[in-house]
Amino acid sequence: MKIKFTKMHGLGNDFVVIDCINQTLSLSRKQLSFIADRHFGIGCDQILMVEKASGNADFFYRIFNADGGEVEQCGNGARCFVRYVHDQGLTLKNPVSVETLSGLITPTLQKNGEVTVDMGIPKFEPAEIPFVADHRALTYSLEVQGKTVQISALSMGNPHAVRIVGDIDKAPVGSEGALIETHPRFPKRVNVGYMQIIDRHNIQLRVFERGAGETLACGTGACAAVVAGVQQNLLDTPVSVNTRGGKLTISWDGENQSVWMTGPAVTVFEGEINL
Ligand SMILES: N[C@H](CCC[C@H](N)C(=O)O)C(=O)O
């Protein structure tokens, strides 16, 4: 089966985007991880599928990690999604309403080429993350390989753990991040963010993503880090989130308010793959 795709990225967090409105397909986990494979396939952190919405949203947005697992939300992908549906002539609407497994998001193409997304309201109850804890807390102690680390835990539709570190370049992202990703207290696994606070409006962030490993940027991770920092009275929004792939701007006005993300979305090339 020949499949048309578009390769895109948001700050180096890269995607294979597939129009599933004009081509009907259902891919196995094995086929999805083949597409994501950087040696044998196309190569990407996530695969994004554009589908017709079941309700009255404009589109349904499905997200699969490089390991083939389907997930609830992808922030950098949401910015690429709206650029894709405009570039492919699938809509003239701006903003577009996009249904995801974790609810509705509304990305808007800005005149300066950047994209702003209402990423929805973060959730903190352990059962909603999900995270195993007796009750909600600002931070939690987590046993990792005989060490105790302090994390914030929350959901941006997908689960996030956030650690504050003194030196982002020395943060144990690959080693400890992999252990926290699969920690038993996160029954659906978790994205693990390491945040260095520069000042009240600037952070540096690295994320070990669930199902993909460390990526150059993570949109929902940036949202989760800013929320964790604001809650601990360490940050004031808007916050510039400096990732290895570039800068995101995140705003959040507090409990029960949406998190707003602004950043770029880039189309790299189009292609076809035989599956
Ligand atoms: N790895 C994430 C999905 C992609 C999130 C990230 N690429 C973003 O920009 O938010 C998860 O398993 O929840």
Side-chain angles (χ1 to χ4, degrees):
M1 143 179 68
K2 204 183 274 289
I3 296 174
K4 287 185 179 6
F5 68 86
T6 299
K7 188 73 182 359
M8 302 184 79
H9 73 84
L11 299 176
N13 180 201
D14 63 339
F15 310 108
V16 167
V17 189
I18 301 174
D19 171 355
C20 296
I21 296 175
N22 295 304
Q23 42 186 6
T24 43
L25 52 101
S26 90
L27 300 175
S28 66
R29 188 169 181 132
K30 192 158 169 276
Q31 289 174 314
L32 289 161
S33 48
F34 164 74
I35 288 172
D37 190 294
R38 295 190 185 282
H39 299 284
F40 297 101
I42 304 165
C44 63
D45 294 326
Q46 279 89 29
I47 294 144
L48 312 180
M49 291 189 180
V50 180
E51 299 192 4
K52 274 199 173 60
S54 55
N56 48 20
D58 298 316
F59 296 98
F60 181 41
Y61 163 36
R62 294 181 75 183
I63 304 137
F64 298 85
N65 280 324
D67 68 1
E70 184 164 11
V71 291
E72 312 88 344
Q73 195 52 268
C74 175
N76 288 323
R79 299 196 312 275
C80 291
F81 188 100
V82 69
R83 178 170 304 297
Y84 178 84
V85 294
H86 276 256
D87 291 353
Q88 297 294 321
L90 294 174
T91 185
L92 291 172
K93 285 178 139 182
N94 189 28
V96 290
S97 60
V98 182
E99 197 182 314
T100 70
L101 286 183
S102 64
L104 207 60
I105 55 171
T106 49
T108 306
L109 275 177
Q110 301 296 345
K111 287 195 174 40
N112 67 1
E114 293 224 305
V115 182
T116 296
V117 193
D118 172 352
M119 289 300 295
I121 297 171
K123 296 193 177 82
F124 305 99
E125 285 305 318
E128 293 181 304
I129 296 172
F131 176 56
V132 176
D134 298 339
H135 53 78
R136 171 181 169 174
L138 207 50
T139 61
Y140 302 90
S141 297
L142 194 71
E143 299 301 314
V144 184
Q145 256 191 346
K147 259 189 354 178
T148 301
V149 296
Q150 288 305 311
I151 61 161
S152 299
L154 63 120
S155 169
M156 283 305 304
N158 58 347
H160 286 272
V162 182
R163 279 203 65 201
I164 297 174
V165 293
D167 180 343
I168 198 77
D169 294 324
K170 295 196 178 109
V173 180
S175 51
E176 185 189 273
L179 295 171
I180 298 177
E181 182 213 1
T182 55
H183 196 284
R185 289 182 65 182
F186 289 98
K188 288 193 170 174
R189 297 185 293 157
V190 69
N191 299 284
V192 190
Y194 291 81
M195 157 167 71
Q196 178 181 345
I197 295 178
I198 309 304
D199 61 39
R200 294 187 69 87
H201 288 283
N202 289 281
I203 65 170
Q204 290 196 317
L205 180 71
R206 293 171 65 188
V207 181
F208 187 97
E209 285 200 28
R210 177 180 61 172
E214 182 173 5
T215 57
L216 291 178
C218 177
T220 51
C223 296
V226 169
V227 168
V230 169
Q231 279 191 314
Q232 298 174 66
N233 193 21
L234 300 170
L235 296 174
D236 299 311
T237 71
V239 175
S240 293
V241 178
N242 299 286
T243 74
R244 295 202 146 175
K247 188 188 89 168
L248 285 169
T249 303
I250 308 291
S251 292
W252 183 55
D253 292 335
E255 198 88 7
N256 299 318
Q257 301 291 318
S258 276
V259 185
W260 291 82
M261 168 184 65
T262 297
V266 176
T267 299
V268 186
F269 64 88
E270 296 192 347
E272 282 187 352
I273 185 169
N274 283 313
L275 281 183

